[in-house]
Amino acid sequence: MTLLPAVEPTMYFIGVTTNKSSIMKVFPAWAKELGLNATLKGIDLPLGAPREAYREVVGFLKSDPMSLGALVTTHKLDIVSAARDLFDDFGPDAQLLHEISSISKRSAHLWGNAMDAATSGLSLEAILPGSYWENSSADLVLLGAGGSSLALTLYLHKRTAAGLPGPKKIIVTNRRSLRLEEMREMHVRIGSTLPITYVQATDESTNDDVVANASPGSLIINATGLGKDRPGSPLTDGVTFPQGAIAWDFNYRGDLVFLDQARAQQPELEVQVEDGWVYFIHGWTRVIADVFNIDIPTRGAAFDRLSNIAQTVSQKENPS
């Protein structure tokens, strides 16, 4: 890997296939709107990259004066595991989750922050009706126990701890039991009282059963990365969604087979389909605010302008 010193203020996108993301076209338009004299560059690393690769990237960001920070997607856990000692400090959520989605600098200090609890919560509230949890017996089904799922449960923990309503029941599935145990341990550590059941799903049929047995109106989330980083879906085509369910894929690009499976049941079961576009907008604006140390509203006219800009740029890039 060759990382050349930046010649202008630069933010990086650390992922797997960064050049395929709409952000590469959206960022220049956002920078103009926000008055930022900066550019965005991608750094692609394979899934499960060598420890040395993560350390090289973090070391470069720390030492290069014009490199201001980065958004991290797929490598959120691995980059902390491999290069924890290169950071000067971590935000409170990063300390809890042992992952980061944002790398930023404050003076000479390199910070790692986990923004997903905030961004997933903002996205969730944008998708759900205001009284969704209060007026129904809907469950929350999280297919996948990775960083995004963990962050969403942290948001829900904070929400219910503040006395606000949450899901009556949460079911988290994952192929590997270790990830479920790590999630359970974090929930115990923070004193969570969320009603969570952890299910090891070694194949898609187990996920099918969990989804089919969820209450009417339940929120079913694909948090596995399948459909984006890897092909496929955590469900089979034979799955039956609950009546009036909301199917939400954290991804907004890729094959998104999970959403195709949900759409196939829209007419009869009235399944609502949501992709990860709102999550994409909140995820990027929260990290840009962190990297450039600026305020970006999470709602209102200024936020709507950024969302509309992104939508317009994306439609030009991928016309229907």
Side-chain angles (χ1 to χ4, degrees):
M1 185 190 318
T2 302
L3 297 171
L4 300 176
V7 297
E8 59 184 323
T10 302
M11 177 178 171
Y12 295 85
F13 175 14
I14 303 171
V16 179
T17 55
T18 58
N19 65 320
K20 294 182 180 180
S21 174
S22 295
I23 195 62
M24 306 310 287
K25 298 289 180 62
V26 169
F27 183 87
W30 275 358
K32 182 178 180 180
E33 172 72 15
L34 295 168
L36 298 174
N37 178 26
T39 190
L40 179 71
K41 293 184 178 179
I43 298 176
D44 287 346
L45 297 170
L47 292 169
R51 180 173 182 271
E52 294 73 18
Y54 294 119
R55 294 185 64 81
E56 180 182 352
V57 169
V58 175
F60 168 76
L61 292 175
K62 186 171 185 175
S63 63
D64 186 55
M66 299 294 276
S67 295
L68 305 183
L71 179 140
V72 185
T73 54
T74 309
H75 309 285
K76 297 171 185 177
L77 292 162
D78 289 337
I79 206 165
V80 173
S81 177
R84 177 185 297 272
D85 59 300
L86 300 181
F87 288 88
D88 294 295
D89 215 335
F90 293 94
D93 283 359
Q95 294 177 36
L96 278 175
L97 300 173
H98 303 294
E99 67 163 48
I100 58 169
S101 55
S102 178
I103 300 174
S104 58
K105 292 179 177 178
R106 296 294 181 267
S107 300
H109 289 79
L110 190 71
W111 276 78
N113 281 307
M115 314 297 286
D116 276 2
T119 58
S120 62
L122 288 166
S123 305
L124 183 72
E125 301 307 328
I127 289 171
L128 299 182
S131 57
Y132 180 79
W133 299 121
E134 186 175 5
N135 296 332
S136 79
S137 59
D139 304 327
L140 169 62
V141 177
L142 282 164
L143 304 174
S148 296
S149 285
L150 194 58
L152 184 58
T153 63
L154 177 57
Y155 164 77
L156 290 169
H157 161 69
K158 292 178 179 180
R159 177 183 169 86
T160 55
L164 297 172
K168 304 298 187 296
K169 182 170 61 175
I170 301 173
I171 307 99
V172 183
T173 75
N174 200 73
R175 282 185 176 273
R176 294 190 300 127
S177 60
L178 178 61
R179 292 295 300 141
L180 294 169
E181 286 303 316
E182 290 172 346
M183 178 180 277
R184 190 199 306 267
E185 288 171 6
M186 192 278 282
H187 291 150
V188 170
R189 190 165 67 249
I190 65 176
S192 172
T193 58
L194 292 172
I196 301 180
T197 300
Y198 308 86
V199 177
Q200 184 177 10
T202 56
D203 55 41
E204 291 82 358
S205 63
T206 303
N207 285 329
D208 285 1
D209 290 341
V210 169
V211 169
N213 289 318
S215 300
S218 290
L219 175 61
I220 317 294
I221 299 178
N222 175 25
T224 64
L226 287 170
K228 178 195 169 193
D229 297 326
R230 294 160 295 170
S233 165
L235 304 172
T236 73
D237 288 341
V239 67
T240 300
F241 282 79
Q243 182 74 37
I246 300 174
W248 181 20
D249 199 317
F250 279 162
N251 305 314
Y252 78 93
R253 62 183 175 91
D255 293 337
L256 304 186
V257 178
F258 169 80
L259 294 187
D260 289 338
Q261 293 167 331
R263 286 190 188 95
Q265 301 184 29
Q266 276 181 326
E268 181 181 355
L269 297 177
E270 300 178 312
V271 178
Q272 177 182 332
V273 174
E274 299 285 348
D275 64 18
W277 181 254
V278 173
Y279 200 175
F280 165 80
I281 300 294
H282 279 300
W284 272 98
T285 53
R286 289 303 88 215
V287 175
I288 289 171
D290 184 42
V291 169
F292 294 98
N293 197 22
I294 60 174
D295 177 58
I296 300 178
T298 58
R299 58 178 57 85
F303 178 82
D304 290 343
R305 279 198 303 274
L306 292 174
S307 181
N308 291 337
I309 288 169
Q311 192 73 52
T312 299
V313 171
S314 180
Q315 287 173 348
K316 288 180 179 178
E317 182 186 2
N318 301 298
S320 57

